Amino acid sequence: DQQVKQNSPSLSVQEGRISILNCDYTNSMFDYFLWYKKYPAEGPTFLISISSIKDKNEDGRFTVFLNKSAKHLSLHIVPSQPGDSAVYFCAAALNTGFQKLVFGTGTRLLVSP
Amino acid sequence: DVKVTQSSRYLVKRTGEKVFLECVQDMDHENMFWYRQDPGLGLRLIYFSYDVKMKEKGDIPEGYSVSREKKERFSLILESASTNQTSMYLCASSPPGGRDEQFFGPGTRLTVL
């Protein structure tokens, strides 16, 4: 039972355009969400996070949007760069006082020059 | 700089062998995690530990055990390796509390023949 879903396995975007990666979740008790980026042969690295009390968080070219009623979050990358090509995982956490993350299946982003 | 290291990048073992995967972090983090990453399934939590000698089962603990004798070291043990344990294994650590990112190691690609 996949509680966190990324329905698009891959996404191709041209350099300079916007990349939008989507993530849906089923458990309404999740209250903290994170995005990680993973390059081949490397471990995932943290990108950006958002608490359920917010609907938007921005960090440079990266913005995460949270729609709690739809149980949906998205990551916007503007402008996209070839170095952004990687697999992106969304993750969700419960407010249990302990950070046990539930990860999505990942979306492979390819940004072409 | 934050660092999580894993003992091997690539490992090939035979069915039935006992396999040890080692993870060391230098950040004095209380929490440590073991995940496996498989195509189409994302990252799935095997075991985690929030203190020395403490361990908790994750979502897929069957066929695995763990050991945490020192704060900086978290070992994953495959008691009797099977072909369905061929995967990428990722170790992570995080400070105490629930709102900090997890830091990942580079991963160990394990192949069981």
Side-chain angles (χ1 to χ4, degrees):
Chain A
D1 181 25
Q2 194 76 29
Q3 295 188 71
V4 180
K5 298 179 184 179
Q6 294 175 256
N7 291 318
S8 298
S10 63
L11 176 68
S12 292
V13 171
Q14 279 197 313
E15 182 178 7
R17 307 294 290 267
I18 184 172
S19 295
I20 300 176
L21 295 92
N22 294 303
C23 180
D24 297 295
Y25 60 95
T26 56
N27 190 340
S28 58
M29 299 302 292
F30 288 139
D31 73 336
Y32 192 67
F33 303 89
L34 307 90
W35 284 93
Y36 282 80
K37 178 170 72 173
K38 186 181 185 300
Y39 292 118
E42 293 183 16
T45 54
F46 170 75
L47 198 55
I48 193 169
S49 62
I50 187 166
S51 166
S52 62
I53 62 173
K54 295 186 174 182
D55 54 18
K56 177 183 174 181
N57 188 26
E58 193 171 350
D59 184 3
R61 296 186 296 115
F62 303 91
T63 303
V64 56
F65 295 91
L66 175 63
N67 182 335
K68 287 188 292 293
S69 61
K71 297 191 182 68
H72 176 84
L73 66 155
S74 60
L75 175 69
H76 292 211
I77 306 173
V78 183
S80 301
Q81 299 173 354
D84 296 328
S85 298
V87 177
Y88 289 78
F89 292 97
C90 65
L94 296 165
N95 184 17
T96 58
F98 184 82
Q99 194 202 40
K100 181 184 168 185
L101 296 179
V102 179
F103 281 85
T105 52
T107 296
R108 183 176 301 278
L109 174 66
L110 177 63
V111 181
S112 53
Chain B
D1 199 14
V2 160
K3 201 161 187 182
V4 179
T5 56
Q6 296 183 228
S7 51
S8 305
R9 297 300 300 269
Y10 300 94
L11 211 52
V12 180
K13 295 292 181 180
R14 297 269 178 207
T15 301
E17 279 192 79
K18 190 168 186 176
V19 181
F20 293 86
L21 302 182
E22 305 286 340
C23 175
V24 177
Q25 50 96 4
D26 65 0
M27 297 162 283
D28 202 34
H29 284 166
E30 276 73 9
N31 305 326
M32 296 189 75
F33 309 82
W34 274 107
Y35 295 88
R36 62 178 284 177
Q37 181 197 355
D38 300 287
L41 296 176
L43 277 71
R44 293 179 293 166
L45 182 63
I46 303 171
Y47 267 98
F48 61 99
S49 168
Y50 51 88
D51 202 352
V52 176
K53 297 194 184 293
M54 304 301 288
K55 60 184 179 183
E56 294 284 342
K57 292 181 180 179
D59 299 317
I60 51 164
E62 296 77 21
Y64 303 94
S65 62
V66 290
S67 173
R68 189 147 182 222
E69 296 296 319
K70 293 185 178 181
K71 188 176 185 180
E72 67 270 18
R73 188 179 298 269
F74 193 34
S75 303
L76 179 70
I77 304 155
L78 286 67
E79 297 290 343
S80 177
S82 63
T83 55
N84 62 14
Q85 292 179 310
T86 292
S87 186
M88 169 69 82
Y89 289 89
L90 292 158
C91 175
S93 72
S94 71
R99 291 301 172 255
D100 291 288
E101 64 187 270
Q102 292 182 14
F103 296 87
F104 283 84
T108 296
R109 171 72 65 185
L110 173 66
T111 301
V112 183
L113 302 175

